[in-house]
Amino acid sequence: MAAVLLVDDDVELAEMLGDYLAQDGFQVSTVHDGASGVDAALSGDFAIAVLDVMMPQLSGIEALRRIRAVSALPVLMLTAKGDDLDRIIGLELGADDYVPKPCQPRELAARLRAILRRTATASEPANAPIVVGDLTVRPELRRAEWAGGVLDLTGTEFNLLEALARHAGRPVSKSELSEIALGRPLARFDRSIDVHLSSIRHKLGTLADGRSCIQTVYRQGYQLIRE
């Protein structure tokens, strides 16, 4: 039974979502402000956190920023429907996925399970390190290194980088990357993969000629350069 932390200042909505998730097999704890959410998220008692973006005093975005500063705990954001900026900022800061509000509890439960499945599958011991130039991906440790230095990646970013490393030298479509890293088909106008990859590019070093080692291949997807 996965322990879920639900952080939302809308008490009535939080109770409704908490009741549904509990009936669906999750162990749910609820807090109603961002500061308490950060403290609970960093307690080590939860497998995943759900953060509402719009909260007084300490927003979900700021709460996520503080969590990501010290923890790779999977986080799903609840964002206002149609608010692309909140979604992009959340993904840039390391959110693993988002669900627009008002949301269907069934969809929320499915998204949580998808994130937890990816985390569990990716953490299964297996596979030798993948080495591509200065990049080393160690699937068994969920760790990636550039020129010997450990990269600070979120769980979703690691999944994407591992997928590109396994296919180094050839393009991987955004649809394929969405299935691998997010556990869902790529929706129309969905820029989640682009945002995650932009963040990865900033964290990786560059090739000898200054180019990013992750290249966009027109109409085909993204490619990790093998040099």
Side-chain angles (χ1 to χ4, degrees), residues 49-226:
V50 179
L51 286 180
D52 181 30
V53 170
M54 296 297 293
M55 289 188 289
Q57 298 180 357
L58 187 64
S59 72
I61 294 294
E62 181 56 29
L64 174 63
R65 193 191 311 274
R66 297 185 186 187
I67 292 169
R68 276 290 168 268
V70 294
S71 171
L73 177 76
V75 173
L76 182 148
M77 304 294 292
L78 294 177
T79 66
K81 187 174 184 178
D83 194 333
D84 291 336
L85 182 59
D86 281 345
R87 288 200 292 273
I88 291 170
I89 292 174
L91 292 170
E92 287 177 338
L93 289 175
D96 293 275
D97 202 357
Y98 62 84
V99 171
K101 293 175 70 174
C103 67
Q104 293 293 328
R106 185 174 179 178
E107 180 184 4
L108 177 61
R111 294 287 187 94
L112 290 174
R113 284 202 171 86
I115 295 172
L116 291 169
R117 258 197 318 273
R118 293 200 303 273
T119 304
T121 299
S123 63
E124 289 176 356
N127 303 322
I130 307 166
V131 180
V132 183
D134 285 336
L135 174 68
T136 301
V137 178
R138 303 182 187 278
E140 77 281 13
L141 300 176
R142 298 277 297 162
R143 189 175 76 192
E145 302 160 4
W146 181 269
V150 177
L151 297 170
D152 181 17
L153 301 175
T154 67
T156 298
E157 289 170 355
F158 180 86
N159 293 342
L160 284 170
L161 188 57
E162 181 185 1
L164 290 173
R166 290 187 183 282
H167 300 83
R170 74 170 181 83
V172 184
S173 72
K174 289 171 61 176
S175 296
E176 189 175 351
L177 290 172
S178 182
E179 293 282 1
I180 294 172
L182 303 179
R184 57 180 169 81
L186 186 69
R188 192 180 184 188
F189 304 125
D190 189 343
R191 294 196 59 242
S192 302
I193 296 298
D194 306 292
V195 174
H196 284 304
L197 283 170
S198 175
S199 176
I200 295 172
R201 279 170 162 157
H202 285 296
K203 295 178 181 180
L204 291 176
T206 59
L207 300 173
D209 60 5
R211 290 180 301 158
S212 169
C213 61
I214 297 178
Q215 297 291 311
T216 303
V217 183
Y218 183 61
R219 291 188 174 178
Q220 294 188 52
Y222 289 95
Q223 176 180 348
L224 183 66
I225 301 298
R226 181 185 288 280

Side-chain angles (χ1 to χ4, degrees), residues 30-48:
T30 304
V31 297
H32 302 296
D33 66 86
S36 299
V38 173
D39 291 340
L42 298 181
S43 68
D45 294 334
F46 298 96
I48 192 168

